[in-house]
Coordinates of all heavy atoms in Angstrom, one line a residue:
M1 N -28.7 -27.9 2.4 CA -29.1 -27.3 1.1 C -28.7 -25.8 1.0 O -28.3 -25.4 -0.1 CB -30.7 -27.4 1.1 CG -31.2 -27.2 -0.4 SD -30.5 -28.5 -1.5 CE -30.6 -27.6 -3.0
K2 N -28.9 -25.1 2.2 CA -28.5 -23.7 2.0 C -27.0 -23.5 1.7 O -26.6 -22.6 1.0 CB -28.8 -23.1 3.4 CG -29.3 -21.7 3.4 CD -29.7 -21.2 4.8 CE -30.1 -19.7 4.8 NZ -30.5 -19.4 6.2
L3 N -26.2 -24.4 2.3 CA -24.8 -24.3 2.2 C -24.4 -24.5 0.7 O -23.6 -23.9 0.2 CB -24.0 -25.4 3.1 CG -22.5 -25.4 3.2 CD1 -22.1 -24.2 4.0 CD2 -22.1 -26.7 3.7
L4 N -25.1 -25.5 0.0 CA -24.8 -25.9 -1.3 C -25.1 -24.6 -2.2 O -24.3 -24.3 -3.1 CB -25.7 -26.9 -1.8 CG -25.4 -27.6 -3.1 CD1 -24.1 -28.4 -3.0 CD2 -26.5 -28.4 -3.6
V5 N -26.2 -23.8 -1.9 CA -26.5 -22.6 -2.7 C -25.4 -21.6 -2.5 O -25.0 -21.0 -3.5 CB -27.9 -22.0 -2.3 CG1 -28.2 -20.7 -2.9 CG2 -29.0 -23.0 -2.5
I6 N -24.9 -21.4 -1.2 CA -23.9 -20.5 -1.0 C -22.6 -20.8 -1.8 O -22.0 -20.0 -2.4 CB -23.7 -20.4 0.6 CG1 -24.8 -19.7 1.3 CG2 -22.3 -19.5 0.8 CD1 -24.8 -19.9 2.7
L7 N -22.3 -22.1 -1.7 CA -21.1 -22.6 -2.5 C -21.2 -22.3 -3.9 O -20.2 -21.9 -4.5 CB -20.9 -24.0 -2.2 CG -20.2 -24.5 -1.0 CD1 -20.2 -26.0 -0.6 CD2 -18.7 -24.0 -1.0
V8 N -22.4 -22.5 -4.5 CA -22.6 -22.4 -6.0 C -22.5 -20.9 -6.2 O -21.7 -20.5 -7.3 CB -24.0 -22.9 -6.4 CG1 -24.4 -22.5 -7.8 CG2 -24.1 -24.5 -6.3
V9 N -23.1 -20.0 -5.5 CA -23.0 -18.6 -5.7 C -21.5 -18.2 -5.6 O -21.0 -17.4 -6.5 CB -23.9 -17.8 -4.7 CG1 -23.5 -16.3 -4.7 CG2 -25.4 -18.2 -5.0
L10 N -20.8 -18.6 -4.6 CA -19.4 -18.3 -4.4 C -18.7 -18.7 -5.7 O -17.8 -18.0 -6.2 CB -18.9 -18.9 -3.2 CG -19.0 -18.1 -1.9 CD1 -18.5 -18.9 -0.7 CD2 -18.3 -16.8 -1.9
F11 N -18.9 -19.9 -6.1 CA -18.2 -20.4 -7.3 C -18.4 -19.6 -8.5 O -17.5 -19.3 -9.2 CB -18.6 -21.9 -7.5 CG -17.9 -22.4 -8.6 CD1 -16.6 -23.0 -8.6 CD2 -18.6 -22.6 -9.9 CE1 -15.9 -23.6 -9.7 CE2 -18.0 -23.1 -11.1 CZ -16.6 -23.6 -10.9
V12 N -19.7 -19.2 -8.8 CA -20.0 -18.4 -9.9 C -19.4 -17.0 -9.8 O -18.7 -16.5 -10.8 CB -21.6 -18.2 -10.0 CG1 -21.9 -17.1 -11.0 CG2 -22.3 -19.5 -10.3
V13 N -19.4 -16.4 -8.6 CA -18.7 -15.2 -8.5 C -17.3 -15.2 -8.7 O -16.6 -14.4 -9.4 CB -19.1 -14.6 -7.0 CG1 -18.1 -13.4 -6.7 CG2 -20.5 -14.2 -6.9
A14 N -16.6 -16.3 -8.2 CA -15.2 -16.5 -8.4 C -14.9 -16.7 -9.8 O -13.8 -16.2 -10.3 CB -14.7 -17.7 -7.5
Y15 N -15.7 -17.5 -10.5 CA -15.5 -17.8 -11.9 C -15.6 -16.5 -12.8 O -14.8 -16.2 -13.7 CB -16.6 -18.8 -12.4 CG -16.2 -19.3 -13.8 CD1 -15.2 -20.1 -14.1 CD2 -17.1 -18.8 -14.9 CE1 -14.9 -20.5 -15.4 CE2 -16.9 -19.3 -16.2 CZ -15.8 -20.0 -16.5 OH -15.5 -20.5 -17.8
A16 N -16.6 -15.7 -12.3 CA -16.8 -14.4 -13.1 C -15.6 -13.5 -13.0 O -15.1 -12.8 -13.9 CB -18.1 -13.7 -12.6
L17 N -15.1 -13.4 -11.6 CA -14.0 -12.6 -11.3 C -12.8 -13.1 -12.1 O -12.0 -12.3 -12.6 CB -13.7 -12.6 -9.9 CG -14.6 -11.7 -9.0 CD1 -14.3 -11.9 -7.5 CD2 -14.2 -10.2 -9.3
W18 N -12.6 -14.4 -12.1 CA -11.5 -15.0 -12.8 C -11.4 -14.7 -14.3 O -10.5 -14.3 -15.0 CB -11.4 -16.5 -12.6 CG -10.2 -17.2 -13.2 CD1 -8.9 -17.1 -12.6 CD2 -10.2 -18.0 -14.3 NE1 -8.1 -17.8 -13.5 CE2 -8.8 -18.4 -14.5 CE3 -11.1 -18.5 -15.2 CZ2 -8.4 -19.3 -15.5 CZ3 -10.7 -19.2 -16.3 CH2 -9.4 -19.7 -16.4
Q19 N -12.7 -14.8 -14.9 CA -12.9 -14.5 -16.3 C -12.5 -13.0 -16.6 O -11.9 -12.7 -17.5 CB -14.4 -14.7 -16.6 CG -14.7 -16.2 -16.8 CD -14.3 -16.7 -18.2 OE1 -14.7 -16.2 -19.3 NE2 -13.6 -17.8 -18.1
K20 N -12.9 -12.2 -15.6 CA -12.7 -10.7 -15.8 C -11.2 -10.4 -15.7 O -10.6 -9.7 -16.5 CB -13.4 -9.9 -14.7 CG -14.0 -8.6 -15.2 CD -14.9 -8.0 -14.1 CE -15.7 -6.9 -14.6 NZ -16.6 -6.4 -13.7
W21 N -10.5 -11.2 -14.8 CA -9.1 -11.0 -14.6 C -8.4 -11.4 -15.8 O -7.3 -10.8 -16.0 CB -8.7 -11.9 -13.3 CG -7.3 -11.7 -12.9 CD1 -6.3 -12.6 -13.0 CD2 -6.7 -10.6 -12.3 NE1 -5.1 -12.1 -12.5 CE2 -5.3 -10.9 -12.1 CE3 -7.2 -9.4 -11.8 CZ2 -4.5 -10.0 -11.4 CZ3 -6.3 -8.4 -11.1 CH2 -5.0 -8.8 -11.0
Q22 N -8.8 -12.4 -16.5 CA -8.1 -12.9 -17.7 C -8.1 -11.8 -18.8 O -7.2 -11.8 -19.6 CB -8.8 -14.2 -18.2 CG -8.8 -15.4 -17.3 CD -7.4 -16.0 -17.4 OE1 -7.0 -16.4 -18.4 NE2 -6.7 -16.2 -16.2
R23 N -9.0 -11.0 -18.7 CA -9.1 -10.0 -19.8 C -8.4 -8.6 -19.4 O -8.3 -7.8 -20.2 CB -10.7 -9.7 -20.1 CG -11.1 -10.6 -21.3 CD -12.6 -10.4 -21.6 NE -13.4 -11.1 -20.7 CZ -14.6 -10.6 -20.1 NH1 -15.0 -9.4 -20.4 NH2 -15.3 -11.3 -19.3
I24 N -8.0 -8.5 -18.1 CA -7.4 -7.3 -17.7 C -6.0 -7.3 -18.4 O -5.2 -8.2 -18.3 CB -7.3 -7.2 -16.2 CG1 -8.7 -7.1 -15.6 CG2 -6.3 -6.1 -15.7 CD1 -8.7 -7.1 -14.1
P25 N -5.5 -6.1 -19.0 CA -4.2 -6.0 -19.5 C -3.0 -6.1 -18.4 O -3.4 -5.8 -17.3 CB -4.2 -4.6 -20.2 CG -5.3 -3.9 -19.6 CD -6.3 -4.9 -19.2
P26 N -2.0 -6.6 -18.8 CA -0.9 -6.8 -17.7 C -0.5 -5.6 -17.0 O -0.1 -5.6 -15.8 CB 0.4 -7.3 -18.6 CG -0.1 -7.6 -20.0 CD -1.5 -7.1 -20.0
Q27 N -0.6 -4.4 -17.7 CA -0.2 -3.1 -16.9 C -1.2 -2.9 -15.8 O -0.8 -2.5 -14.6 CB -0.4 -1.9 -17.9 CG 0.5 -2.0 -19.0 CD 0.0 -2.4 -20.3 OE1 -0.7 -3.4 -20.4 NE2 0.2 -1.7 -21.4
T28 N -2.5 -3.2 -15.9 CA -3.4 -3.0 -14.9 C -3.2 -4.0 -13.8 O -3.2 -3.6 -12.5 CB -4.9 -3.2 -15.3 OG1 -5.1 -2.6 -16.6 CG2 -5.9 -2.7 -14.4
K29 N -2.8 -5.2 -14.1 CA -2.4 -6.1 -12.9 C -1.1 -5.7 -12.2 O -1.2 -5.8 -11.0 CB -2.1 -7.5 -13.7 CG -3.2 -8.3 -14.0 CD -2.8 -9.6 -14.7 CE -4.1 -10.3 -15.3 NZ -3.6 -11.5 -16.0
Q30 N -0.2 -5.1 -13.0 CA 0.9 -4.6 -12.2 C 0.6 -3.4 -11.4 O 1.1 -3.3 -10.3 CB 2.0 -4.1 -13.3 CG 2.8 -5.3 -13.8 CD 3.7 -4.7 -15.0 OE1 3.7 -3.6 -15.3 NE2 4.4 -5.7 -15.5
L31 N -0.4 -2.6 -11.8 CA -0.8 -1.4 -11.0 C -1.4 -1.9 -9.7 O -1.2 -1.3 -8.6 CB -1.9 -0.6 -11.8 CG -2.2 0.7 -11.2 CD1 -1.3 1.8 -11.3 CD2 -3.6 1.2 -11.9
W32 N -2.2 -2.9 -9.8 CA -3.0 -3.4 -8.7 C -1.9 -4.1 -7.7 O -2.0 -3.9 -6.5 CB -4.0 -4.5 -9.0 CG -5.3 -3.9 -9.4 CD1 -5.8 -3.8 -10.6 CD2 -6.2 -3.2 -8.5 NE1 -7.0 -3.1 -10.6 CE2 -7.3 -2.8 -9.2 CE3 -6.2 -3.0 -7.1 CZ2 -8.3 -2.0 -8.7 CZ3 -7.3 -2.3 -6.5 CH2 -8.3 -1.9 -7.4
G33 N -0.9 -4.7 -8.3 CA 0.2 -5.2 -7.5 C 0.9 -4.2 -6.7 O 1.2 -4.3 -5.5
A34 N 1.2 -3.0 -7.4 CA 1.8 -1.9 -6.7 C 1.0 -1.3 -5.6 O 1.5 -1.0 -4.6 CB 2.1 -0.8 -7.8
I35 N -0.3 -1.2 -5.9 CA -1.2 -0.7 -4.9 C -1.3 -1.5 -3.7 O -1.1 -1.1 -2.5 CB -2.7 -0.5 -5.5 CG1 -2.7 0.6 -6.5 CG2 -3.6 -0.2 -4.4 CD1 -3.9 0.7 -7.3
F36 N -1.4 -2.8 -3.9 CA -1.4 -3.8 -2.7 C -0.1 -3.8 -1.9 O 0.0 -3.9 -0.8 CB -1.7 -5.2 -3.2 CG -3.2 -5.4 -3.4 CD1 -3.8 -5.7 -4.6 CD2 -4.1 -5.2 -2.3 CE1 -5.2 -5.9 -4.8 CE2 -5.4 -5.4 -2.5 CZ -6.0 -5.7 -3.7
G37 N 1.0 -3.7 -2.7 CA 2.4 -3.6 -2.1 C 2.5 -2.4 -1.2 O 3.0 -2.4 -0.1
M38 N 2.1 -1.3 -1.8 CA 2.2 0.1 -1.0 C 1.3 0.0 0.2 O 1.7 0.5 1.3 CB 1.7 1.2 -1.9 CG 2.9 2.1 -2.4 SD 2.5 3.0 -3.8 CE 1.0 4.0 -3.3
A39 N 0.1 -0.6 0.1 CA -0.8 -0.6 1.2 C -0.2 -1.5 2.3 O -0.2 -1.1 3.5 CB -2.2 -1.3 0.9
G40 N 0.4 -2.6 1.9 CA 1.2 -3.5 2.9 C 2.3 -2.8 3.6 O 2.4 -2.8 4.9
A41 N 3.0 -2.0 2.8 CA 4.2 -1.4 3.4 C 3.7 -0.3 4.4 O 4.3 -0.1 5.5 CB 5.0 -0.7 2.3
M42 N 2.6 0.4 4.0 CA 2.1 1.5 4.9 C 1.6 0.9 6.2 O 1.7 1.4 7.3 CB 0.9 2.2 4.2 CG 1.5 3.4 3.4 SD 0.2 4.0 2.3 CE -0.9 4.9 3.5
R43 N 0.9 -0.3 6.1 CA 0.3 -0.9 7.3 C 1.5 -1.3 8.2 O 1.5 -1.1 9.4 CB -0.5 -2.2 6.8 CG -1.6 -2.5 7.9 CD -2.3 -3.7 7.5 NE -2.8 -3.6 6.1 CZ -2.8 -4.7 5.4 NH1 -2.4 -5.9 5.8 NH2 -3.1 -4.8 4.1
Q44 N 2.6 -1.8 7.6 CA 3.8 -2.1 8.4 C 4.4 -1.0 9.0 O 4.8 -1.1 10.2 CB 4.8 -2.9 7.3 CG 6.0 -3.5 8.1 CD 5.5 -5.0 8.5 OE1 4.5 -5.4 8.1 NE2 6.2 -5.4 9.5
A45 N 4.5 0.1 8.4 CA 5.0 1.3 8.9 C 4.3 1.8 10.1 O 4.8 2.2 11.1 CB 5.2 2.4 7.9
K46 N 2.8 1.7 9.9 CA 2.0 2.2 11.0 C 2.1 1.2 12.2 O 2.1 1.9 13.3 CB 0.5 2.1 10.4 CG -0.1 3.5 10.3 CD -1.5 3.3 9.9 CE -2.1 4.5 9.3 NZ -3.4 4.3 8.6
K47 N 2.2 0.1 12.0 CA 2.3 -0.9 13.1 C 3.6 -0.6 13.9 O 3.6 -0.6 15.1 CB 2.4 -2.4 12.5 CG 1.8 -3.3 13.5 CD 1.5 -4.7 12.8 CE 2.7 -5.6 12.9 NZ 2.5 -6.9 12.2
Q48 N 4.7 -0.4 13.1 CA 6.0 0.0 13.8 C 5.9 1.2 14.5 O 6.5 1.4 15.6 CB 7.1 -0.1 12.8 CG 7.6 -1.5 12.4 CD 8.7 -1.5 11.4 OE1 9.1 -0.4 10.9 NE2 9.4 -2.5 11.3
A49 N 5.3 2.3 14.0 CA 5.1 3.5 14.6 C 4.4 3.4 15.9 O 4.7 4.0 16.9 CB 4.4 4.5 13.7
K50 N 3.4 2.5 16.0 CA 2.5 2.3 17.1 C 3.4 1.7 18.3 O 3.3 2.1 19.4 CB 1.4 1.3 16.8 CG 0.1 1.8 17.3 CD -1.0 0.8 17.0 CE -2.4 1.5 16.6 NZ -3.3 0.5 15.9
Q51 N 4.3 0.7 17.8 CA 5.1 0.1 18.8 C 6.1 1.1 19.4 O 6.5 0.8 20.6 CB 5.9 -1.1 18.1 CG 5.1 -2.2 17.8 CD 5.7 -3.3 17.0 OE1 6.8 -3.0 16.5 NE2 5.0 -4.5 16.9
N52 N 6.4 2.1 18.8 CA 7.3 3.0 19.3 C 6.7 4.3 19.9 O 7.2 5.4 20.0 CB 8.3 3.6 18.2 CG 9.4 2.6 17.9 OD1 10.4 2.6 18.5 ND2 9.1 1.7 16.9
G53 N 5.5 4.1 20.3 CA 4.7 5.2 21.0 C 4.3 6.3 20.0 O 4.4 7.5 20.5
G54 N 4.2 6.0 18.8 CA 3.6 7.1 17.9 C 4.8 7.8 17.2 O 4.5 8.6 16.3
F55 N 6.1 7.6 17.6 CA 7.2 8.2 17.0 C 7.7 7.3 15.8 O 7.6 6.2 15.8 CB 8.3 8.4 17.9 CG 8.0 9.5 19.0 CD1 7.6 9.1 20.3 CD2 8.0 10.8 18.6 CE1 7.4 10.0 21.2 CE2 7.8 11.8 19.6 CZ 7.5 11.4 20.8
P56 N 8.3 7.9 14.7 CA 8.8 7.2 13.7 C 9.9 6.3 14.1 O 10.5 6.6 15.0 CB 9.4 8.3 12.7 CG 8.8 9.5 13.1 CD 8.3 9.4 14.5
V57 N 10.0 5.2 13.4 CA 11.1 4.2 13.9 C 12.5 4.7 13.8 O 13.2 4.6 14.8 CB 10.9 2.9 13.0 CG1 11.8 1.8 13.6 CG2 9.5 2.5 12.9
E58 N 12.8 5.4 12.7 CA 14.2 5.8 12.6 C 14.4 7.2 13.0 O 13.8 8.2 12.5 CB 14.6 5.8 11.0 CG 14.6 4.3 10.6 CD 15.8 3.6 11.2 OE1 16.8 4.1 11.4 OE2 15.5 2.4 11.4
T59 N 15.2 7.4 14.1 CA 15.6 8.7 14.6 C 16.8 9.1 13.9 O 17.7 8.1 13.6 CB 15.7 8.7 16.1 OG1 16.0 7.5 16.5 CG2 14.4 9.2 16.8
P60 N 17.1 10.3 13.6 CA 18.2 10.7 12.8 C 19.5 10.3 13.5 O 19.6 10.4 14.8 CB 18.1 12.2 12.7 CG 16.7 12.5 12.8 CD 16.1 11.5 13.7
V61 N 20.5 9.8 12.8 CA 21.7 9.3 13.6 C 22.4 10.4 14.2 O 23.0 10.2 15.2 CB 22.7 8.7 12.4 CG1 23.9 8.1 13.1 CG2 21.9 7.6 11.7
T62 N 22.4 11.7 13.7 CA 23.0 12.7 14.3 C 22.5 13.1 15.7 O 23.2 13.7 16.5 CB 23.0 14.0 13.4 OG1 21.5 14.2 13.0 CG2 23.8 13.9 12.3
N63 N 21.3 12.7 16.0 CA 20.7 13.1 17.3 C 21.2 12.1 18.4 O 21.3 12.6 19.5 CB 19.1 13.0 17.2 CG 18.7 14.4 16.8 OD1 19.4 15.3 16.6 ND2 17.3 14.5 16.6
R64 N 21.3 10.8 18.2 CA 21.6 9.9 19.2 C 22.8 9.2 19.0 O 23.5 8.7 19.9 CB 20.4 9.1 19.6 CG 19.9 8.3 18.5 CD 19.2 7.1 18.8 NE 19.2 6.2 17.6 CZ 18.5 5.3 17.4 NH1 17.4 5.0 18.2 NH2 18.6 4.6 16.3
G65 N 23.2 8.9 17.7 CA 24.4 7.9 17.5 C 25.7 8.6 17.7 O 26.5 8.0 18.2
L66 N 25.8 9.9 17.4 CA 27.1 10.5 17.5 C 27.6 10.8 18.9 O 27.0 11.5 19.6 CB 27.1 11.8 16.6 CG 28.5 12.3 16.3 CD1 29.3 11.3 15.4 CD2 28.3 13.7 15.6
M67 N 28.7 10.1 19.3 CA 29.3 10.4 20.6 C 30.5 11.3 20.5 O 31.3 11.1 19.7 CB 29.7 9.0 21.2 CG 28.6 8.0 21.4 SD 27.4 8.4 22.6 CE 28.4 7.7 24.1
L68 N 30.4 12.4 21.3 CA 31.6 13.4 21.3 C 32.3 13.3 22.6 O 31.6 13.3 23.7 CB 31.0 14.7 20.9 CG 30.5 14.9 19.4 CD1 29.9 16.2 19.3 CD2 31.7 14.7 18.5
P69 N 33.6 13.5 22.7 CA 34.3 13.6 24.0 C 34.2 15.1 24.6 O 34.3 16.1 23.9 CB 35.7 13.3 23.6 CG 35.8 13.7 22.2 CD 34.4 13.6 21.5
C70 N 34.1 15.1 26.0 CA 34.0 16.4 26.6 C 35.4 17.1 26.6 O 36.4 16.3 26.8 CB 33.5 16.1 28.0 SG 33.5 17.6 29.1
T71 N 35.4 18.3 26.3 CA 36.8 19.0 26.2 C 37.4 19.1 27.8 O 38.6 19.0 27.8 CB 36.5 20.4 25.8 OG1 35.7 20.4 24.5 CG2 37.8 21.2 25.5
T72 N 36.6 19.0 28.8 CA 37.1 19.2 30.1 C 37.5 17.9 30.6 O 38.7 17.6 31.1 CB 36.1 19.8 31.0 OG1 35.7 21.1 30.3 CG2 36.7 20.1 32.4
C73 N 36.6 16.8 30.6 CA 36.9 15.6 31.3 C 37.1 14.4 30.3 O 37.6 13.4 30.7 CB 35.8 15.2 32.4 SG 34.2 14.8 31.6
G74 N 36.8 14.6 29.0 CA 37.1 13.5 28.2 C 35.9 12.5 28.0 O 36.1 11.5 27.2
L75 N 34.9 12.7 28.8 CA 33.8 11.7 28.8 C 33.1 11.7 27.4 O 32.8 12.8 27.0 CB 32.9 12.0 30.0 CG 31.7 11.0 30.2 CD1 32.3 9.8 30.9 CD2 30.7 11.6 31.1
H76 N 32.8 10.6 26.9 CA 32.0 10.5 25.7 C 30.5 10.6 25.9 O 30.0 9.8 26.7 CB 32.4 9.3 24.8 CG 33.6 9.5 24.1 ND1 34.9 9.5 24.7 CD2 33.9 9.7 22.7 CE1 35.8 9.7 23.8 NE2 35.2 9.8 22.6
V77 N 29.9 11.6 25.3 CA 28.5 11.8 25.6 C 27.8 12.0 24.2 O 28.3 12.5 23.4 CB 28.3 13.1 26.5 CG1 26.8 13.4 26.6 CG2 28.9 12.9 27.8
P78 N 26.5 11.5 24.1 CA 25.7 11.7 22.9 C 25.6 13.2 22.6 O 25.4 14.1 23.5 CB 24.3 11.2 23.1 CG 24.6 10.1 24.2 CD 25.7 10.7 25.1
Q79 N 25.8 13.6 21.3 CA 25.8 15.0 20.9 C 24.6 15.7 21.5 O 24.6 16.9 21.8 CB 25.9 15.1 19.5 CG 26.3 16.4 18.9 CD 26.3 16.6 17.4 OE1 25.7 15.7 16.7 NE2 26.9 17.5 16.8
S80 N 23.4 15.0 21.4 CA 22.1 15.7 21.8 C 22.2 16.0 23.3 O 21.4 16.9 23.8 CB 21.0 14.8 21.4 OG 21.1 13.6 22.1
E81 N 23.0 15.3 24.2 CA 22.9 15.5 25.6 C 24.0 16.5 26.0 O 24.0 16.9 27.2 CB 23.2 14.1 26.3 CG 21.8 13.3 26.2 CD 22.1 11.8 26.8 OE1 23.0 11.7 27.8 OE2 21.5 10.9 26.3
G82 N 24.9 16.7 25.3 CA 26.1 17.6 25.6 C 25.8 19.1 25.2 O 24.7 19.5 24.8
V83 N 26.8 20.0 25.5 CA 26.7 21.4 25.3 C 27.8 21.7 24.2 O 28.9 21.3 24.5 CB 26.9 22.3 26.6 CG1 26.4 23.7 26.3 CG2 26.0 21.6 27.7
L84 N 27.4 22.6 23.3 CA 28.5 23.0 22.2 C 28.6 24.5 22.5 O 27.7 25.2 22.2 CB 28.0 22.6 20.9 CG 29.1 22.6 19.8 CD1 30.1 21.5 20.0 CD2 28.4 22.5 18.5
V85 N 29.9 24.8 22.9 CA 30.1 26.2 23.1 C 31.3 26.7 22.2 O 32.4 26.1 22.4 CB 30.3 26.6 24.5 CG1 30.7 28.1 24.7 CG2 29.2 26.2 25.4
S86 N 31.1 27.6 21.4 CA 32.2 28.1 20.4 C 33.0 27.0 19.8 O 34.3 27.0 19.9 CB 33.0 29.2 21.0 OG 33.6 28.8 22.2
G87 N 32.3 26.0 19.3 CA 33.0 24.9 18.6 C 33.6 23.8 19.4 O 34.1 22.8 19.0
R88 N 33.5 24.0 20.8 CA 34.0 22.9 21.7 C 32.8 22.2 22.3 O 31.8 22.9 22.7 CB 34.9 23.5 22.9 CG 36.3 23.9 22.3 CD 36.9 24.9 23.3 NE 38.1 25.5 22.7 CZ 39.2 25.3 23.2 NH1 39.5 24.7 24.3 NH2 40.3 25.8 22.6
F89 N 33.0 20.9 22.6 CA 31.9 20.0 23.1 C 32.2 19.8 24.6 O 33.3 19.4 25.0 CB 31.7 18.8 22.3 CG 30.6 17.9 22.8 CD1 29.3 18.3 22.3 CD2 30.8 16.8 23.6 CE1 28.3 17.5 22.7 CE2 29.7 16.1 23.9 CZ 28.4 16.4 23.6
Y90 N 31.1 19.9 25.4 CA 31.3 19.6 26.8 C 30.1 18.7 27.2 O 29.0 18.7 26.6 CB 31.1 20.9 27.7 CG 32.2 21.9 27.4 CD1 32.0 22.8 26.4 CD2 33.4 21.9 28.0 CE1 33.0 23.8 26.0 CE2 34.4 22.8 27.7 CZ 34.1 23.7 26.7 OH 35.1 24.6 26.4
C91 N 30.4 17.8 28.2 CA 29.4 16.7 28.7 C 28.3 17.4 29.3 O 27.1 16.9 29.4 CB 30.0 15.6 29.4 SG 30.6 16.3 31.1
S92 N 28.5 18.5 30.0 CA 27.4 19.2 30.8 C 27.7 20.7 30.9 O 28.9 21.1 30.6 CB 27.3 18.6 32.2 OG 28.5 18.7 32.9
A93 N 26.9 21.5 31.3 CA 27.0 22.9 31.4 C 28.1 23.3 32.4 O 28.8 24.3 32.4 CB 25.7 23.6 31.8
E94 N 28.2 22.3 33.5 CA 29.2 22.6 34.6 C 30.6 22.6 34.0 O 31.5 23.2 34.7 CB 29.1 21.6 35.7 CG 27.8 21.8 36.5 CD 26.7 21.0 36.1 OE1 26.7 19.7 36.0 OE2 25.7 21.6 35.5
H95 N 30.9 21.8 33.0 CA 32.2 21.6 32.4 C 32.7 22.7 31.5 O 33.8 22.7 31.0 CB 32.4 20.3 31.8 CG 32.6 19.2 33.0 ND1 32.9 17.9 32.6 CD2 32.5 19.3 34.3 CE1 33.0 17.2 33.7 NE2 32.8 18.0 34.8
V96 N 31.7 23.6 31.2 CA 32.0 24.6 30.2 C 32.9 25.6 30.9 O 32.6 26.1 31.9 CB 30.7 25.4 29.7 CG1 31.1 26.5 28.7 CG2 29.8 24.3 29.0
K97 N 34.1 25.9 30.3 CA 35.0 26.9 31.0 C 34.8 28.3 30.4 O 34.7 28.5 29.2 CB 36.4 26.5 30.6 CG 36.9 25.2 31.4 CD 38.3 24.9 30.9 CE 38.6 23.5 31.3 NZ 39.8 22.9 30.5
Ligands
ZN101 ZN1 32.9 16.9 31.1

């Protein structure tokens, strides 16, 4: 009996919400859609940030993607790991002439 009452209440609430939803102008519906979409995107970004130990997912390409050849030995090293002296790139401080 208790379950039936709960079901009836739920149905009445759902019906009332549906009636209200019918009267909402399309612009408001779009606004709600945008809000839910943004919330979803933010949750996704937060989840990805957590997986990366709190750091943003995308690290700038210039920091790790670009490989440069050492002027002394020719070894290709990520730009962030090498040394740049007066326009010349070296794989380590030992190779700087
Ligand atoms: Zn070198």
